[in-house]
Amino acid sequence: MTRYIRLDVISMVRSGYFIVFSVLFSAGFYVMFTKLFTVAGWTSVPGFAVTYMVALAVSGAFYAALTGGGIRLGEERGSGWARQLTLTPLSPRRYVLGKLVAAWLLALPALVAIFILGVALNQVAMPLGNWALLVAATWGGSLCFAVFGVAVGLLVAGEATQFACLGVFFPLAILGGLWFPTSAFPETLRRITDYLPTSALYRLGVTAVHGSGSVATPILVLACWTALAGMVALAWLRPESLSPTR
């Protein structure tokens, strides 16, 4: 299974689709709002370049995990390739587990790419320990997104998987405050956003940047969403679910 995971990750990293939507999309937003445009009360806030770097790194990791775990899995189910693979010693559970691990691994380069951009473009600096904590927190938390991807990939097959993943990605990224501030949202909606996995991972990353702060609530939110997505995936993880006719 290790060899399968390695090949899956390499093929995804070499994919133009992965580079454009997981890295360049977030990088474009970062350049736009830290170098090209100034929005009073938002981009002008001290430390914005650092916190927005964290937000867009989480956004990139989110889509990378959805791509590797959701779109890839759904397309392979739709084409029948998933079924063929499970006729080898790679059992259905090992195949799906491989997709989960690959999706989680794919989140790491998406995170690191935006962190490097923050250093190169805006001279973001912090102690080495904080950098290590930031990478560990955001990558560890992105396991939630990988489980999300696998759940979507098991629920939807074929070309529809891409649209399903986008239907998950855009609302959670926007409502989670990864692209734009949520201060303009109605109060009730702002309260809801605190319990979204995207917002939780962003807040966890910002806490790592500062090296202090409460992490209990973000970790609990991520754990609950991971458990929920995991239960959905397990409920649909049957040999027949990998058939292209499903």
Side-chain angles (χ1 to χ4, degrees), residues 10-242:
I10 291 173
S11 67
M12 283 298 300
V13 170
R14 290 177 176 175
S15 166
Y17 183 88
F18 173 83
I19 296 297
V20 169
F21 289 99
S22 298
V23 179
L24 296 184
F25 184 83
S26 294
F29 264 77
Y30 190 66
V31 172
M32 187 183 305
F33 289 108
T34 61
K35 289 298 182 182
L36 301 181
F37 300 105
T38 300
V39 181
W42 180 41
T43 63
S44 57
V45 173
F48 172 76
V50 180
T51 57
Y52 201 50
M53 175 191 73
V54 175
L56 290 176
V58 171
S59 174
F62 186 17
Y63 198 76
L66 284 176
T67 302
I71 296 176
R72 195 68 176 264
L73 174 58
E75 289 180 345
E76 289 182 359
R77 286 179 58 229
S79 67
W81 180 241
R83 186 64 173 171
Q84 291 299 316
L85 285 174
T86 57
L87 296 177
T88 70
L90 195 66
S91 67
R93 286 185 177 272
R94 287 169 61 85
Y95 166 72
V96 174
L97 178 60
K99 285 295 181 204
L100 173 62
V101 174
W104 189 34
L105 291 174
L106 285 168
L108 184 59
L111 286 166
V112 172
I114 303 302
F115 293 155
I116 292 174
L117 182 63
V119 173
L121 192 66
N122 291 300
Q123 294 73 53
V124 171
M126 67 183 82
L128 185 60
N130 291 56
W131 276 114
L133 190 60
L134 174 61
V135 173
T138 50
W139 186 43
S142 66
L143 177 62
C144 176
F145 302 149
V147 178
F148 252 88
V150 168
V152 173
L154 288 171
L155 287 170
V156 187
E159 295 181 358
T161 314
Q162 182 174 339
F163 297 101
C165 285
L166 290 175
V168 171
F169 175 68
F170 281 109
L172 288 181
I174 294 172
L175 294 176
L178 300 184
W179 300 342
F180 308 107
T182 59
S183 56
F185 291 174
E187 183 179 354
T188 302
L189 187 56
R190 285 203 306 271
R191 291 178 180 176
I192 293 173
T193 61
D194 289 340
Y195 299 98
L196 296 178
T198 40
S199 175
L201 187 54
Y202 165 67
R203 286 183 284 124
L204 194 63
V206 172
T207 300
V209 167
H210 296 147
S212 62
S214 175
V215 300
T217 299
I219 290 176
L220 180 60
V221 169
L222 286 168
C224 289
W225 280 101
T226 303
L228 177 61
M231 287 189 290
V232 171
L234 287 174
W236 283 77
L237 180 53
R238 298 182 294 273
E240 61 269 22
S241 69
L242 301 180

